């Protein structure tokens, strides 16, 4: 309150002189895109949010899009409590439709983003129409395939979807002999990236568990890519910043943490920075009076 009063006393003088600490940032970094709230660690403005998520989200005609090296995905949901996003790839197969021809984006994240952004452990990727030359099956002849269920989700149930009605899928057993199955399910951490060209696959589907809810078959699975995000860095800095009314951001030149406090920034929090700002305003006022 004292800081607010002090700033108010000098506001008229502040309006008459250039602000040497104004950085052009808005007073808050929280924004909206359609019906989704975009808040820390994400942002739509440069310098806002956590630097590990910079240039990641874009709002296009009220549709929130996430862009990584493998392509662009529509963001269906952001769960800040669970720290996850749900993404939609328009070329991803579902229970009602198979999309083949290698058109799906898959999911490949840039190496420097890997500590911040990865599919959740209960997200299953079902790779479709992979050739025997695929890296998935190298070294496996006569041995067990790498395919397996993830959190109760897998190909055996997925074969029962209406999308397979026009195809008689090859359902090889757990041992790789005559050829790979038409569907191979596995968790993301097994392959680290879903690159359809590199894996020599025709398509893919992705679903994630709705635990503790139980669904009665693949027709009710949650299709999409559920991604877990993680904030690497000084979380205590951000908590202190927000506790004093600031918005967490970073210096776009030096990549240092910044607390955005209206038209000026602080390297600690808005209480500390406000005192500094008010002192500098007071000095500016005195200089103005002496002229």
């Amino acid at each position: 309150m004292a800081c607010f009063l002090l700033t108010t006393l000098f506001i008229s003088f502040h309006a008459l002189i250039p602000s040497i600490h104004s950085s052009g940032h808005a007073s808050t970094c929280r924004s909206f895109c359609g019906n989704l709230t975009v808040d820390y660690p994400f942002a739509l403005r440069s310098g806002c949010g956590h630097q590990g998520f910079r240039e990641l989200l874009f709002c296009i005609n009220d549709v929130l899009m996430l862009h990584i090296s493998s392509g662009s995905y529509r963001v269906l949901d952001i769960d800040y409590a669970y720290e996850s996003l749900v993404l939609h790839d328009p070329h991803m197969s579902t229970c009602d439709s198979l999309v083949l021809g290698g058109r799906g984006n898959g999911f490949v994240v840039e190496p420097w983003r890997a500590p911040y952004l990865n599919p959740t452990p209960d997200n299953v990727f079902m790779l479709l129409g992979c050739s025997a030359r695929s890296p998935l099956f190298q070294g496996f002849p006569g041995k067990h395939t790498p395919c397996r269920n993830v959190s109760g989700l897998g190909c055996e149930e997925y074969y029962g979807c209406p999308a397979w009605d026009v195809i008689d899928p090859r359902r090889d057993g757990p041992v790789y002999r005559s050829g790979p199955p038409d569907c191979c399910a596995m968790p993301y951490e097994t392959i680290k990236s879903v690159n359809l060209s590199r894996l020599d696959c025709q398509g893919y589907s992705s679903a994630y568990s709705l635990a503790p809810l139980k669904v009665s078959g693949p027709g009710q699975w949650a299709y999409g890519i559920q991604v877990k995000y993680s904030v690497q860095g000084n979380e205590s800095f951000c908590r202190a910043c927000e506790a004093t009314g600031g918005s967490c951001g970073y210096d776009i030149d030096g990549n240092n943490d910044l607390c955005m406090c209206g038209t000026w920034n602080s390297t600690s929090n808005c209480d500390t920075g406000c005192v500094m700002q008010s002192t500098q305003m007071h000095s500016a006022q005195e200089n103005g009076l002496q002229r």
Side-chain angles (χ1 to χ4, degrees):
M1 179 61 74
C3 184
F4 172 77
L5 293 173
L6 183 58
T7 303
T8 303
L9 290 174
F10 299 115
I11 192 168
S12 59
F13 295 98
H14 183 253
L16 296 174
I17 59 175
S19 172
I20 60 175
H21 279 261
S22 176
S23 63
H25 289 292
S27 60
T28 179
C29 286
R30 179 179 295 138
S31 53
F32 301 89
C33 183
N35 62 347
L36 295 178
T37 301
V38 180
D39 207 347
Y40 186 85
F42 306 107
L44 297 175
R45 289 191 284 265
S46 180
C48 288
H50 188 280
Q51 55 185 301
F53 303 97
R54 65 182 182 270
E55 298 176 352
L56 182 70
L57 297 184
F58 301 88
C59 189
I60 303 173
N61 297 326
D62 285 335
V63 175
L64 189 62
M65 302 295 295
L66 179 143
H67 184 75
I68 53 177
S69 59
S70 55
S72 295
Y73 309 78
R74 181 169 183 170
V75 181
L76 301 181
D77 183 57
I78 304 178
D79 188 330
Y80 291 99
Y82 184 60
E83 296 185 337
S84 70
L85 306 94
V86 176
L87 308 178
H88 170 69
D89 176 0
H91 300 299
M92 184 183 73
S93 297
T94 64
C95 197
D96 298 317
S97 173
L98 292 183
V99 182
L100 303 177
R103 291 184 291 158
N105 287 327
F107 193 86
V108 181
V109 68
E110 298 90 336
W112 71 269
R113 284 201 202 272
Y116 307 103
L117 202 69
N118 274 300
T120 58
D122 59 0
N123 199 124
V124 60
F125 285 90
M126 292 172 287
L127 297 158
L128 310 177
C130 304
S131 77
R133 300 182 303 274
S134 171
L136 295 174
F137 306 110
Q138 297 305 305
F140 286 94
K143 299 182 180 180
H144 288 281
T145 68
C147 315
R148 64 183 180 86
N149 283 8
V150 179
S151 298
L153 310 177
C155 290
E156 285 308 311
E157 282 191 287
Y158 187 59
Y159 283 137
C161 284
W164 293 93
D165 288 348
V166 296
I167 302 176
D168 184 17
R170 180 171 53 198
R171 311 181 187 209
D172 237 5
V175 177
Y176 173 58
R177 289 193 181 94
S178 61
D182 283 328
C183 176
C184 180
M186 59 182 58
Y188 183 78
E189 58 263 26
T190 300
I191 47 179
K192 300 301 182 185
S193 67
V194 182
N195 183 324
L196 297 185
S197 296
R198 184 181 67 82
L199 296 173
D200 201 359
C201 299
Q202 289 295 305
Y204 81 106
S205 184
S206 175
Y208 56 94
S209 173
L210 291 173
L213 298 178
K214 292 185 178 180
V215 297
S216 58
Q220 296 183 20
W221 287 355
Y223 290 90
I225 304 173
Q226 187 179 61
V227 177
K228 188 77 172 174
Y229 65 84
S230 174
V231 177
Q232 308 285 321
N234 190 359
E235 294 186 47
S236 60
F237 173 89
C238 188
R239 286 195 295 267
C241 172
E242 292 181 338
T244 57
S247 294
C248 305
Y250 60 92
D251 179 356
I252 59 176
D253 295 322
N255 289 334
N256 298 312
D257 291 327
L258 287 179
C259 185
M260 300 182 180
C261 310
T263 57
W264 53 278
N265 300 333
S266 170
T267 56
S268 55
N269 59 66
C270 292
D271 282 351
T272 303
C274 188
V275 172
M276 294 172 59
Q277 175 79 354
S278 299
T279 302
Q280 286 153 353
M281 290 165 61
H282 179 63
S283 298
Q285 177 209 20
E286 289 182 339
N287 292 335
L289 290 175
Q290 288 173 0
R291 291 175 184 175

